[in-house]
Structures are given as C-alpha cells and as structure tokens.
Amino acid sequence: MTEVDQAAPTGPRLKAAGPGGRFGRLGEVRHLGLVAALTLLAIVGLVTRPENFATSSNLVSILALASTIGVITVGMTFVIIGGGIDLSVGALMALASVWATTLATQSYGPVVMIVCAVLVGTGAGLLNGILIAYGRMVPFIATLAMMVAGRGLAQRMSNQRTQLVQQDNSLIVSLSTTRVLGLPLLVYVFALVVLFGWLVLNRTTFGRRTYAVGGNPEAARLAGIDVRKHTLLLYALSGLCCGIAAVLIMARTTTGSSTHGDLYELDAIAAVIIGGTLLSGGRGTIIGSILGLLIFTVITNLFILNGLNTADQLIAKGAIIVAAVLLQRRSLKTHT
C-alpha cells in the first residue's frame, strides 16, 4: 500500500482529490460537455466557412497548431493539479528553440539539437522547482521571473534575430513535412506525450501523489510524501514538455526565435481550466485539458477563417476563461 493509499482516509479533501469518486463522475460529465462544445464549433465552421473549414489541409493545420501548445498543456496540467502554476512555459520554449538553433549547436547535428532543447527546457523547469519548493517562493512570482529572464536570455543569445534550421539538419524539419496516414509526424509526437501523461497521472504512484499534493499538501506530507521533491519534479516535467514543444515549433517554422511561444502560457492555462482542472489543485484530467485545448484551437481557426483580427481573438479568449472559472465555481458549490 502506498503512502497516498494510506493517507486517503485521513481527510475528505485528500480522498476526493483523486481521479475517481464523485469528482471523477463529474469529470466524465464535463468531458461530454466539452465534446458537445467542440461539435457545436465544428457545426459553426461548416455553416460559416463550408468551403474551407472541413478541408483536410485545414484540419491538419488545426492539429499541427494544437500539437505544439498541447505538449505544453500536458505539463501545465500536472503543475496545476499539483497546486502550482507555470507562467514561464512560452518563454522556456523560445529559449530552448534559440539555444538549439545556434550555429554551435547545429554543427553537431539534429540529434544534439533535440537533446539540447529538451535539456534546456528541463533545466529551466528544475530551476523553477528549486525556487518554489526549496526557496519557498510563490509559484506565480518564481515563474513570472523565469518568464521575463528566459525571454530576455533568448533575445540576448539570438541578438533578437530569427535563427534558421540548416539544411543539414532536415531531420527536425521532417517532423512537420513527413506524413503518415495524412498526418505530420509532430501530431504523433503530441499523441505519444498525451498518452504518456495520461498513464503517469492515472496509473502510477507519481500521479496519485500529484493529486494528493495539490488537494491537501499538509495531509500529503503527514502521509510520508516528500512534497518539496514532488513539487520540484512537477516543474521539471513542465520544463521537459517545453523542450519537446521547442523541437516541434522548430519543425513547423524551421526556425528558432525569441518570439516563439508568445502568450502560450495563456493558451495552456486556459485549456487546463476549460478542461475542468481546479486552479487550487487536487482535481483535473489530461483528457479534459486536451479537449479544452482543441476548443481553443478551433475557435482561433474559426476567427482566422472568418477574417477577425487578433485583438478580437484575445478578447474572446479572455471572456472564455472568465466563463470557465465561473462555471467551475458553480459546479463545485453544487456538488459539495
């Protein structure tokens, strides 16, 4: 029996924090609602832009965009369920892409570039975790500082210029250009990350501890869980996802740039909230987050197809986030 299993009877909140029970059934209902919302958006697309929306190229474009932000969303889901927040994800992705596309790094080939991006993302995530778990900094402040510093370091390294992926490193670009069953390889990379995240969150001790730490950190500590170490690992995992996303953005754009990932933290957090994850931690699912991400991506796609500008998109996204939080609070009051 694990520490979390032993801790479950000690308090109602810790017991309810996991993926099962009453909140688990509530999550399943919410998933159905998200699927219904996604279906409604598809109908809107078919009605307003029937000649463009349902084309294979547009659907592939939606999935490709969702793949990059989706990998980050998986890491964000773990962090928020664990009771934290990570505002640095977009900046870390930009930093990893810039570091991996410097001439020095590219001279070693595509494999080293991929390893570099992953290590930079994971290392920065570890630094976030150290500041929060052992430096006792508020997650909002620590990751905000990392967001500013990471973006600044990326600008300094690239001299605010876009760095092209050289032709010798076409293996990275092939993730976007090579298609299997009509879908680019980066979509399959995204699917593997989602599958891995779902298995870790729902089928491992690490996942159960994440729910426990987010639901009631003091009860988790009394149950024998090293809360600080687990928090450190959660932010390292988020950084790892940023590194993988950097590889995908390099494949899509054939560049590394300090402007990559601008406002990706907004999209990732919004997707997680819409998917039903509590901002206070202790409850959430990978599937819900991905459905929330697809809703956001389809909305963005509809705005573009209908010729609406970026300002309108941002206003709509902000309104959706507020509505999602209000609905979340209302559902909690109804079921508690």
Side-chain angles (χ1 to χ4, degrees), residues 5 7 55 78 113 123 156 265:
D5 295 331
T55 62
F78 275 89
M113 291 174 65
R156 184 69 177 269
E265 57 276 356

Side-chain angles (χ1 to χ4, degrees), residues 165-177:
V165 176
Q166 297 175 345
Q167 292 183 351
D168 295 340
N169 300 313
S170 59
L171 175 64
I172 290 179
V173 180
S174 68
L175 291 174
S176 179
T177 58

Side-chain angles (χ1 to χ4, degrees), residues 316-333:
K317 287 180 178 180
I320 292 170
I321 294 171
V322 172
V325 172
L326 292 176
L327 287 173
Q328 190 180 87
R329 292 180 61 183
R330 181 178 179 182
S331 65
L332 279 176
K333 290 180 179 178

Side-chain angles (χ1 to χ4, degrees), residues 10 48 60 65 81 84 97 111 117 151 165 169 175-176 191 193 201 218 237 255 286 299 314 318 324 329-330:
T10 63
T48 58
V60 169
L65 177 60
I81 290 176
S97 74
V111 175
R151 189 74 68 179
V165 176
N169 300 313
L175 291 174
S176 179
V193 172
L201 189 60
E218 181 60 21
L237 178 61
T255 64
I286 293 292
I299 289 174
L314 294 176
R329 292 180 61 183
R330 181 178 179 182

Side-chain angles (χ1 to χ4, degrees), residues 30-31 34 65-66 68-78 80-81 85 89 190 263-279 283-300 317-318 320-322 324-325 328:
R30 189 178 186 87
H31 291 171
L34 293 172
L65 177 60
T68 307
I69 305 176
V71 171
I72 292 176
T73 300
V74 171
M76 185 70 75
T77 302
F78 275 89
I80 294 181
I81 290 176
I85 194 75
V89 289
F190 168 49
L263 294 181
Y264 272 25
E265 57 276 356
L266 168 67
D267 291 338
I269 293 172
V272 173
I273 295 171
I274 293 171
T277 298
L278 288 181
L279 273 175
R283 198 193 88 188
T285 64
I286 293 292
I287 300 301
S289 295
I290 299 307
L291 288 173
L293 169 70
L294 290 175
I295 288 174
F296 243 73
T297 308
V298 172
I299 289 174
T300 300
K317 287 180 178 180
I320 292 170
I321 294 171
V322 172
V325 172
Q328 190 180 87

Side-chain angles (χ1 to χ4, degrees), residues 51 55 68 80 118 127 130 137 154 193 216 259 271 284 290 310 328:
E51 70 282 2
T55 62
T68 307
I80 294 181
V118 170
L127 182 55
I130 291 172
M137 290 185 67
V193 172
N216 193 327
T259 62
I290 299 307
T310 304
Q328 190 180 87

Side-chain angles (χ1 to χ4, degrees), residues 150-170:
R151 189 74 68 179
L153 181 56
Q155 292 175 354
R156 184 69 177 269
M157 290 185 66
S158 64
N159 199 23
Q160 296 188 358
R161 296 176 180 175
T162 299
Q163 300 174 166
L164 297 176
V165 176
Q166 297 175 345
Q167 292 183 351
D168 295 340
N169 300 313
S170 59

